[in-house]
Amino acid sequence: MTHDPNCIFCKIVAGQIPSKKVFEDEDLIVFHDIHPWAPVHILIVPKAHIVSHAELTEEHQALAGKMMVLAPRLMKELGVTGGFRTVINTGRDGGQEVMHLHMHVMGGPRPWSKG
């Protein structure tokens, strides 16, 4: 499994930085965002250091599918019943701040909604 010693998410995966963990298995770690945009805002992060969504290849299909299937399950477990939003920012121009693939999953009242 690839790892970047300077990556904050790799440090969370390694247990060097604490997180409010929601889920973990051999492939993924899921934790609450430290700057939430919604009442429930989690990050689904592969344990392997993949820089961005643009770097996914056919070899990552199972991992990407696992992330997509896990999102609704965790939202349900966290009490989100009225829907949720998934966002994957890709690259600097796409708003990606941490250069390690991650999926934001946000549920509850939508502060980004206008009206």
Side-chain angles (χ1 to χ4, degrees):
M1 181 177 315
T2 58
H3 177 81
D4 177 345
N6 298 312
C7 172
I8 190 168
F9 288 167
C10 286
K11 290 178 181 180
I12 290 171
V13 167
Q16 298 169 339
I17 294 176
S19 66
K20 188 176 174 192
K21 202 180 312 182
V22 174
F23 173 88
E24 183 174 13
D25 69 6
E26 64 278 356
D27 300 314
L28 302 170
I29 187 167
V30 182
F31 51 90
H32 289 274
D33 194 294
I34 61 170
H35 299 293
W37 286 15
V40 177
H41 183 168
I42 59 175
L43 300 177
I44 300 178
V45 180
K47 288 186 171 181
H49 184 80
I50 302 165
V51 173
S52 77
H53 191 179
E55 293 198 3
L56 289 179
T57 66
E58 287 77 16
E59 76 178 82
H60 300 114
Q61 284 184 19
L63 178 67
K66 190 174 193 176
M67 292 172 70
M68 294 300 293
V69 170
L70 186 59
R73 185 184 112 199
L74 293 178
M75 286 290 104
K76 184 176 181 181
E77 289 176 9
L78 292 168
V80 174
T81 59
F84 57 91
R85 182 180 190 187
T86 57
V87 176
I88 301 175
N89 298 317
T90 305
R92 297 253 183 246
D93 289 343
Q96 186 175 358
E97 295 177 6
V98 177
M99 293 300 133
H100 184 127
L101 174 64
H102 57 287
M103 177 191 296
H104 295 261
V105 188
M106 298 165 276
R110 299 172 299 151
W112 55 81
S113 180
K114 304 246 191 274

